[in-house]
Amino acid sequence: MGFIAWIVLGLIAGALAKAIMPGKDPGGIIVTMLLGIVGGVLGGWIGRTLFNADVDSFFSLSSWLLAILGAVIVLAIYRLVVGNRSSHA
């Protein structure tokens, strides 16, 4: 899958991760987009490494599910890190 496709997939996965895990997050849409892109890459890596899944197609259901899973994981980690930082300040 091309670089632009990963960005688009990540943007959508980030938005869906926000919908799955609603809550107040600092950073707004820019942070959501970046988290989605990182989550998409993480999901692709998890799919290839753990499940031997083919994530080379933009229109593959496994690519989308893994990207959303990765975005949810990254969002959860982000909330833990940022939540801990803001509660100690």
Side-chain angles (χ1 to χ4, degrees), residues 4-19:
I4 300 296
W6 274 111
I7 291 173
V8 171
L9 181 64
L11 296 175
I12 296 169
L16 290 173
K18 274 288 258 205

Side-chain angles (χ1 to χ4, degrees), residues 34-58:
L34 293 174
L35 291 174
I37 293 167
V38 172
V41 172
L42 174 66
W45 179 81
I46 289 171
R48 273 188 245 117
T49 304
L50 299 180
F51 305 119
N52 200 23
D54 179 27
V55 291
D56 292 333
S57 174
F58 183 78

Side-chain angles (χ1 to χ4, degrees), residues 10-23 25 32 35-36 39 67-76 79:
L11 296 175
I12 296 169
L16 290 173
K18 274 288 258 205
I20 291 170
M21 295 179 59
D25 293 315
T32 300
L35 291 174
I68 294 167
L69 172 68
V72 167
I73 291 169
V74 171
L75 180 59
R79 286 183 180 176

